[in-house]
Amino acid sequence: MQKIPTNSLPPAKAASLSKPELPLDLTGPHITADASAGHRLYQALCEMIVSGLVRPGEPLPPTRTLAKQTGFRRNAVVTAYERLIADGFAEARVGSGTFVAARIPARAAEAKAPKAVIEAPRQGAFALGCTHIDERAVQRFRAFVGRRMRAFGSEHLHYGDPRGSRELRAAIADHLLSARGLRCDPEQIMLTSGTLHALRIVLSAILKAGDRVWCEDPGYPIVRRTIAQCGYRIVPIPVDAQGLHVAKGRAMASSARAAYVTPSHQFPLGVQMSMPRRLELLDWAKQAGAFVLEDDYDSEFRYDGAPLMSLAGIDHLQRVIYMGTFAKTLFPGLRIGYCALPERLIGNVTAARAALDRFPGTLMEGAVADMLNSGAFAANLKRTRKLYREARDALAATLETRSDGALSVPVPSQGLHLVARFDRAVDPRVAAEVKQAAGAEGWLLADTYSRARPLPGFVLGFSGHAVPQLIASAERLARESRSAQSAGSKSSRRA
């Protein structure tokens, strides 16, 4: 702590206006170590003033005196004083010097960083949403990005089409035709920052506050939260082995204005919506004047047989809005998704997008179009699909064999996760205890339910994880599941 004398004034006046010394701390936690000299001195003076070590109206040392005492250059002292005056901590009096302000901002120098509790996404074994991109695909993507940056054009200097670049929209339209049997014009494609972004834009264009939306139960909790936050009423519709139960949906809310579904690989149960159920859903949408939002989030990862045609392909984009993303097929940090729109909605949805955030970012669009058009995207899919199949098989086999029947593990023919379930009679709380004891990531199956009676079990991701890590984690989960089942059986016998 350095002690700084006050202004040099005539003895009589000095006695009435100042203390013999002023404390100035130039090394405390309030000092930014790598800041300029003027800024550090400003912070020290602020701390001294707001801490009450000097009183309002007291004089501050002349700039030359303070420079000599602190070892700073005089221009650093002048800069600090000027900022003190500008921020209301001090005032200058012509012919008299610089004085502590009569009223000062309360504890301004002690402003603390806001505490925001944001849980980082988990990356351990079974965590959902992890991906892998082949190193060859990474190299191609880097090359495409570099080439596009070297040819930096005027399209990046202006506001663009709210739907995104036509080049990438055309490439996506070609991909949807070959991969999902969905024929659409590039004019019907809109680029987004992901599925949730697309959902918000589309719902704002087709619904009004308070409208009802069918959602699968069990289903994707994040989507339910998004729909609710947008001001729409969720109607949880049960899911069975054929997918969303349309007849129950009609009975619960036949006049709903939209339905959100994952028909190709239902999240989380993994069932495929049967063709009769798909046609039934489309009939309801037509009769009710409603729209179906098809989230085809992992359709590219099909391991056994050909996938059923997309709902949008069956419907020819009349009542179905198709949503996809590159988060799984390339990587989440890309933040590029898309939706394919019925022709009648293009104008309204485009206007809604323009009102929300004008248009998508342009820098990565060309590189992604190059990935699609060059075949690099398809090649990466082929390689990662093989890796994910191996991870799926290793995880399912380990859980089946090591759990001694405690867990039922249907092997999904598509997707990036599987479900491991206890017997229906087991309390879902047992699954929570097992998950914690095993230190497992992933989700509890019960957390995906809204109104229906939850099944006890786990939603386990296998994509983007090393097989040895998956096996080791699966062995721990199976061991804890066996122990829980054994303990439950003993309790039942005692009862």
Side-chain angles (χ1 to χ4, degrees):
M1 182 82 72
Q2 291 181 276
K3 307 296 185 179
I4 306 301
T6 58
N7 292 356
S8 297
L9 296 171
K13 192 169 185 179
S16 64
L17 292 180
S18 64
K19 297 178 179 178
E21 295 180 338
L22 291 177
L24 191 64
D25 184 0
L26 291 164
T27 59
H30 52 280
I31 300 297
T32 304
D34 56 352
S36 66
H39 185 67
R40 283 181 282 136
L41 182 56
Y42 165 80
Q43 291 176 317
L45 289 165
C46 280
E47 175 68 16
M48 179 184 68
I49 292 169
V50 300
S51 296
L53 298 178
V54 290
R55 293 194 300 271
E58 287 193 9
L60 295 174
T63 55
R64 293 183 187 277
T65 301
L66 190 54
K68 181 178 179 181
Q69 294 296 320
T70 60
F72 292 135
R73 295 181 180 273
R74 184 166 176 257
N75 61 355
V77 180
V78 170
T79 298
Y81 274 17
E82 288 175 344
R83 186 168 175 188
L84 282 176
I85 294 168
D87 289 349
F89 290 103
E91 54 188 31
R93 300 176 189 172
V94 178
S96 298
T98 304
F99 296 78
V100 178
R103 297 183 62 188
I104 61 173
R107 306 301 296 176
E110 293 186 1
K112 296 180 180 179
K115 294 181 179 179
V117 180
I118 300 175
E119 186 176 350
R122 307 215 174 213
Q123 304 297 326
F126 308 150
L128 278 69
C130 298
T131 60
H132 171 83
I133 182 168
D134 185 81
E135 183 58 31
R136 284 165 285 188
V138 172
Q139 294 300 330
R140 295 293 300 277
F141 187 72
R142 285 174 176 161
F144 291 141
V145 171
R147 182 170 68 85
R148 292 285 179 161
M149 289 302 294
R150 287 190 294 273
F152 190 93
S154 61
E155 68 274 14
H156 303 303
L157 305 178
H158 307 284
Y159 291 99
D161 190 322
R163 295 168 299 175
S165 75
R166 182 176 176 82
E167 181 183 18
L168 180 51
R169 289 189 283 118
I172 290 172
D174 290 342
H175 168 69
L176 291 178
L177 178 59
S178 61
R180 302 299 290 125
L182 174 55
R183 185 180 301 277
C184 62
D185 191 273
E187 297 298 305
Q188 294 173 271
I189 301 290
M190 172 176 287
L191 304 182
T192 68
S193 295
T195 301
L196 295 179
H197 188 218
L199 190 66
R200 284 181 175 272
I201 294 170
V202 169
L203 290 179
S204 70
I206 65 174
L207 302 183
K208 60 181 183 296
D211 278 348
R212 291 184 289 181
V213 180
W214 288 5
C215 287
E216 298 165 327
D217 188 15
Y220 193 34
I222 298 174
V223 162
R224 287 202 297 261
R225 288 199 295 270
T226 297
I227 294 173
Q229 287 175 355
C230 290
Y232 311 117
R233 290 187 293 165
I234 294 170
V235 183
I237 308 300
V239 172
D240 61 17
Q242 296 187 65
L244 181 124
H245 204 300
V246 179
K248 291 185 178 180
R250 285 180 179 271
M252 296 169 68
S254 62
S255 61
R257 304 301 301 160
Y260 168 85
V261 292
T262 53
S264 297
H265 184 234
Q266 199 276 332
F267 187 92
L269 298 181
V271 300
Q272 277 192 330
M273 185 180 286
S274 66
M275 186 58 72
R277 195 67 65 79
R278 291 172 184 237
L279 296 176
E280 189 181 358
L281 178 62
L282 295 177
D283 286 344
W284 164 78
K286 184 177 180 180
Q287 293 166 9
F291 288 96
V292 176
L293 295 105
E294 178 181 12
D295 186 350
D296 212 26
Y297 67 102
D298 61 6
S299 63
E300 292 90 351
F301 297 100
R302 179 78 178 175
Y303 307 111
D304 304 299
L308 289 173
M309 182 180 289
S310 66
L311 268 177
I314 299 170
D315 177 62
H316 304 296
L317 282 178
Q318 297 299 308
R319 286 281 164 188
V320 177
I321 298 157
Y322 180 96
M323 299 183 296
T325 176
F326 292 107
K328 310 290 193 303
T329 52
L330 288 175
F331 51 92
L334 193 59
R335 301 310 301 144
I336 295 181
Y338 51 89
C339 58
L341 303 166
E343 188 174 350
R344 74 182 84 178
L345 294 181
I346 294 174
N348 287 346
V349 175
T350 300
R353 172 58 183 278
L356 180 66
D357 63 350
R358 297 291 290 268
F359 72 110
T362 59
L363 281 177
M364 293 294 107
E365 290 178 342
V368 176
D370 290 339
M371 288 288 288
L372 288 165
N373 293 330
S374 68
F377 179 81
N380 178 66
L381 270 183
K382 183 178 180 180
R383 290 188 288 264
T384 53
R385 192 182 292 120
K386 181 175 182 295
L387 290 176
Y388 294 168
R389 178 198 289 269
E390 293 172 356
R392 177 203 65 173
D393 293 345
L395 174 57
T398 304
L399 290 173
E400 284 276 15
T401 57
R402 297 302 179 92
S403 67
D404 290 340
L407 293 174
S408 171
V409 189
V411 181
S413 60
Q414 180 175 309
L416 306 176
H417 77 273
L418 57 75
V419 170
R421 295 199 303 255
F422 287 99
D423 185 88
R424 287 178 177 271
V426 174
D427 191 316
R429 289 174 293 185
V430 172
E433 294 167 359
V434 168
K435 182 175 180 291
Q436 182 176 10
E441 302 290 352
W443 293 6
L444 290 171
L445 183 56
D447 290 343
T448 66
Y449 283 81
S450 181
R451 290 182 184 171
R453 183 179 183 274
L455 293 174
F458 316 98
V459 183
L460 307 174
F462 54 78
S463 63
H465 300 295
V467 170
Q469 181 190 26
L470 283 173
I471 292 175
S473 298
E475 288 175 343
R476 288 195 299 272
L477 188 66
R479 182 173 61 250
E480 295 296 337
S481 298
R482 284 199 320 267
S483 298
Q485 184 184 57
S486 176
S489 298
K490 291 178 181 177
S491 298
S492 298
R493 287 196 296 270
R494 284 198 295 269

